[in-house]
Amino acid sequence: MAALNQTPGADRIQIAFFGRRNAGKSSLVNAVTGQEMSIVSEVKGTTTDPVTKSMELLPLGPVVIIDTPGLDDEGTVGEMRVRKARQVLNRADIAVLVADITRGLTGMEEELITLFQKKRVPYLIVYNKKDLAREECSCLKDLKENEIAVSALKRENIEQLKERIGSLAGKMGKEKPIVGELLEAGDHVVLVTPIDTSAPKGRMILPQVKVIRDILDAHGTLSVTQTGELPALLSSLKERPRLVITDSQAFECVKQMVPKDIPLTSFSILFARYKGVLAGAVQGAAALDRLKEGDRILISEGCTHHRQCEDIGTVKLPGWIEKHTGKRFVYEFTSGGGFPEDLSGYALVVHCGGCMLNEREIRSRERMAAESSIPFTNYGILIAYMNGILKRSLQPFKELAEYL
């Protein structure tokens, strides 16, 4: 039960530290976290890959700290490290740029600041090694609101830095509910959660757990059932449920069991809304019928797991897509943090609900597709579209009235 009480990484503020090699970035990460999270050495390039740690950081609470490789790394391997570091920006809620105070900002740091601004990532500039700076150092004069001088070695101004980070985090706003604002106290919700070979042994998957908690926070009540028991459950209820939420894979049979006057949607659709990509994903689903024989489709999952013989992403979705369209396509698959930087050549991107990714990373992926004029949708929305019930599954969401 302890795992259920831990804040998932996708719901934690993601704070990424960037900078040149030997700017003291890893030392600063260790000073901020109060842990030896990153290896510190005089040898340049000690941090070879992004180092990630979930932790409680006062006064922020649950966060993910990310220490990235030096952005001035060299050679073929160095370029790969730099690329990984830049990819971190797609999920970073806050960026901390660490500069050596004895060198100040160079062209590389200026380029990174421009990238922060382009990606709309709130950022701080931290001049490290304050203990080595002379009083006349230009970096110590006229520090801007988003700049601070510190010494990781001497632990000078570390608490002030944490307060600055906390101030940026406070501007991000409160966490949005997943389904709670659609309910009134006492409303009853039915969750349809099929248990098959892909279900984790002895536990619920994260979207189901989070929806259950959100319903309880809204002072609603709920029933959880498998598909086969759904008709009997609906018949046993004294009043019609306010909403039925199903696993997207069960849409085809559940839509026939739930009367049309009872709102019906899916976990995946709720998460597309929760992550801020629902409207765009609805538009993207319609692109399916415009695809040509042999087009390339990217199917992307935000988590990594052992593929089952009836895996939804690699097996079921391609089968349903080809049954619906009567055409054959070329499929490519990614999982976890892997996502192509170049989407040209794809005709459609189909993403999972993204429960393991934070909102910034999901929206970044959607934005990358939009910049390449590639339609972007998600599993649940596409499945609802192929089953002819997309409009019905969107009815609970007033903000999508134009699509109904």
Side-chain angles (χ1 to χ4, degrees):
M1 290 298 292
L4 294 180
N5 296 323
Q6 295 174 358
T7 304
D11 294 336
R12 293 171 177 260
I13 299 170
Q14 312 247 333
I15 306 166
F17 288 71
F18 300 89
R20 286 178 171 272
R21 292 174 294 171
N22 274 19
K25 179 164 41 61
S26 296
S27 296
L28 185 61
V29 169
N30 290 344
V32 168
T33 61
Q35 301 180 16
E36 295 302 311
M37 174 179 153
S38 300
I39 298 174
V40 176
S41 169
E42 293 298 325
V43 179
K44 285 187 176 182
T46 303
T47 303
T48 58
D49 287 293
V51 178
T52 301
K53 183 175 181 61
S54 295
M55 62 182 298
E56 298 285 326
L57 182 64
L58 296 176
L60 301 180
V63 302
V64 173
I65 300 291
I66 309 168
D67 184 12
T68 64
L71 289 171
D72 58 336
D73 214 340
E74 301 167 340
T76 302
V77 175
E79 291 176 1
M80 293 173 63
R81 293 172 182 169
V82 171
R83 185 161 60 249
K84 285 188 176 182
R86 289 178 180 270
Q87 288 174 347
V88 168
L89 262 182
N90 293 331
R91 71 177 192 265
D93 293 306
I94 296 172
V96 179
L97 175 57
V98 184
D100 186 331
I101 199 168
T102 63
R103 299 183 62 180
L105 297 183
T106 67
M108 192 222 73
E109 283 92 2
E110 297 289 358
E111 179 183 342
L112 198 55
I113 291 170
T114 300
L115 192 57
F116 294 160
Q117 294 169 343
K118 178 182 178 182
K119 291 183 175 289
R120 301 174 185 174
V121 180
Y123 67 94
L124 291 171
I125 299 173
V126 181
Y127 296 103
N128 191 25
K129 305 184 183 180
K130 184 174 183 288
D131 52 300
L132 300 180
R134 297 180 178 179
E135 291 185 7
E136 65 270 19
C137 177
S138 60
C139 293
L140 290 174
K141 299 177 180 179
D142 301 321
L143 288 172
K144 299 177 183 176
E145 185 179 354
N146 68 331
E147 297 179 335
I148 185 172
V150 307
S151 170
L153 179 65
K154 302 293 186 180
R155 300 296 195 268
E156 185 178 354
N157 284 349
I158 297 302
E159 291 304 316
Q160 290 87 334
L161 171 58
K162 290 163 68 172
E163 290 173 4
R164 293 281 190 92
I165 294 173
S167 177
L168 283 183
K171 296 177 182 178
M172 293 169 57
K174 296 181 179 179
E175 183 180 348
K176 300 177 295 186
I178 301 172
V179 67
E181 86 282 15
L182 303 177
L183 309 174
E184 295 181 1
D187 279 346
H188 193 78
V189 181
V190 173
L191 308 182
V192 184
T193 61
I195 304 298
D196 54 23
T197 56
S198 63
K201 198 74 172 177
R203 60 186 176 87
M204 309 290 284
I205 63 175
L206 184 59
Q208 296 165 356
V209 172
K210 293 192 69 171
V211 168
I212 289 173
R213 175 57 192 264
D214 204 47
I215 292 169
L216 295 176
D217 285 343
H219 301 283
T221 60
L222 59 102
S223 302
V224 183
T225 182
Q226 294 194 65
T227 312
E229 290 70 45
L230 178 59
L233 171 63
L234 291 174
S235 298
S236 69
L237 296 175
K238 294 182 179 180
E239 297 183 0
R240 291 181 179 273
R242 172 66 183 84
L243 180 65
V244 174
I245 304 170
T246 181
D247 186 295
S248 300
Q249 299 180 64
F251 254 142
E252 185 173 6
C253 56
V254 170
K255 71 177 183 180
Q256 300 171 12
M257 300 175 180
V258 179
K260 292 185 177 179
D261 61 340
I262 297 177
L264 170 66
T265 193
S266 77
F267 293 100
S268 189
I269 290 174
L270 283 174
F271 269 77
R273 180 173 181 260
Y274 180 56
K275 303 293 183 178
V277 298
L278 181 55
V282 168
Q283 293 177 318
L288 181 64
D289 291 328
R290 300 193 294 270
L291 299 187
K292 303 186 294 294
E293 184 87 17
D295 275 346
R296 292 169 64 208
I297 298 177
L298 175 65
I299 298 180
S300 185
E301 289 202 8
C303 60
T304 55
H305 61 269
H306 176 67
R307 302 287 187 181
Q308 304 285 335
C309 59
E310 286 299 307
D311 182 68
I312 181 172
T314 58
V315 179
K316 291 182 178 179
L317 266 176
W320 291 330
I321 287 171
E322 295 191 353
K323 179 181 178 182
H324 175 82
T325 62
K327 301 173 185 175
R328 296 184 67 84
F329 304 103
V330 176
Y331 301 94
E332 295 182 17
F333 307 95
T334 66
S335 60
F339 193 78
E341 292 183 17
D342 182 8
L343 294 175
S344 61
Y346 293 110
L348 178 66
V349 175
V350 185
H351 208 287
C352 71
C355 64
M356 298 299 291
L357 303 178
N358 66 351
E359 178 178 340
R360 182 172 288 275
E361 186 159 12
I362 288 289
R363 298 189 76 158
S364 173
R365 294 181 177 192
E366 181 194 40
R367 185 170 59 253
M368 289 169 62
E371 289 172 352
S372 298
S373 300
I374 310 299
F376 179 99
T377 190
N378 93 338
Y379 288 14
I381 294 166
L382 191 64
I383 293 170
Y385 179 82
M386 291 187 290
N387 276 282
I389 59 167
L390 181 55
K391 287 188 176 181
R392 180 182 178 186
S393 66
L394 299 178
Q395 285 177 347
F397 316 118
K398 296 178 180 179
E399 71 270 23
L400 294 181
E402 63 183 287
Y403 298 103
L404 303 179

